[in-house]
Amino acid sequence: TGAIGSAVNPLATDIANLAARTSTGGVYVADVSGLTIASIGGVAGVDAAGAVVILVAAGNLDTEAGATIAGSSVALAAGAGKIGGAGAVATRTGMLIAAADTGIDIANTNATLTATLNSNSGMARLTTTGQLFSGGAWSADTIDLSATGLILTHALTSTGETAIRRSSAGTIGVGDGAGDMVVSGSELQLITAGSLTIGGANTTAVTVDGVTNADTANIAGLVTLDAGEITFSGAASTFGSLQADAA
């Protein structure tokens, strides 16, 4: 019981594997090397029982199969490495902040998630089983996000591709188009990228309505729509460069 470390004085470690559980308080750990969240002695990962989890590693930060990082909010950092270098880091939280040097790969399970991901290089990839809200500005060489819904209120900035996908089967509306997930014109304007992909294997249909040239002005290259069916309806839509791939 009680907190493990604190926000001001995290538990300082130099270990390869970590499992931790507390019934009250949070978990605060700073490791001087790489760190793998593991299953040890019946504890499968890090579970803060609805409190805060902050894990900082100087190198890579990973979870082994079957281990999950769970808390009301989770903050992860890999100072000179990657979060999820050995496969997607498993989290269960409604609030996530992740920062790394060479890439981020996280798979989250929760009905809603407010997230902010920033990597100095490489890809920032997040898959969540529910609705995704941006908690702050995102940045990486490439960004790949998958969710069942999206509310974007902060900038997504990548030099390469940004991809917006569904984490389960459903539809996407673009601009004023209707869908289970909607990427509105104002949300498109928050995306700066070398290219933009909307849709993918789980997207049954994309409906485009009233996208203006200004909405995708910050996309340097191609906008790709990828779905089982693609429909342009309502007001005319304008793209600088568009590819529509309907299966």
Side-chain angles (χ1 to χ4, degrees):
T1 64
I4 299 172
S6 70
V8 176
N9 294 301
L11 178 66
T13 62
D14 185 7
I15 55 178
N17 300 302
L18 170 71
R21 180 170 58 203
T22 178
S23 58
T24 60
V27 177
Y28 308 84
V29 175
D31 193 83
V32 298
S33 56
L35 183 62
T36 297
I37 305 306
S39 297
I40 302 173
V43 179
V46 171
D47 188 349
V52 175
V53 175
I54 299 178
L55 302 176
V56 178
N60 290 342
L61 177 60
D62 293 294
T63 52
E64 70 175 23
T68 301
I69 302 167
S72 60
S73 66
V74 172
L76 306 175
K82 181 176 182 179
I83 297 172
V89 164
T91 60
R92 186 172 69 251
T93 185
M95 180 75 69
L96 173 68
I97 298 174
D101 186 38
T102 57
I104 299 170
D105 190 0
I106 295 173
N108 187 70
T109 304
N110 208 60
T112 62
L113 174 65
T114 299
T116 306
L117 274 63
N118 289 282
S119 183
N120 293 331
S121 63
M123 175 184 288
R125 176 190 287 128
L126 172 66
T127 300
T128 187
T129 56
Q131 178 99 340
L132 176 61
F133 299 81
S134 63
W138 292 38
S139 63
D141 287 346
T142 59
I143 293 173
D144 192 314
L145 62 88
S146 299
T148 59
L150 176 66
I151 303 295
L152 186 61
T153 55
H154 299 82
L156 303 184
T157 303
S158 68
T159 55
E161 180 189 28
T162 286
I164 297 174
R165 314 181 195 275
R166 287 194 52 82
S167 56
S168 61
T171 62
I172 299 178
V174 182
D176 295 327
D180 301 318
M181 170 192 285
V182 174
V183 186
S184 68
S186 60
E187 289 173 320
L188 288 169
Q189 292 182 29
L190 292 170
I191 302 171
T192 298
S195 62
L196 173 65
T197 296
I198 297 175
N202 286 329
T203 305
T204 56
V206 167
T207 300
V208 183
D209 182 357
V211 175
T212 69
N213 192 56
D215 292 341
T216 59
N218 295 324
I219 309 302
L222 189 65
V223 175
T224 300
L225 306 177
D226 184 3
E229 179 181 324
I230 299 171
T231 302
F232 293 84
S233 66
S237 293
T238 302
F239 295 86
S241 182
L242 176 67
Q243 177 174 316
D245 293 331

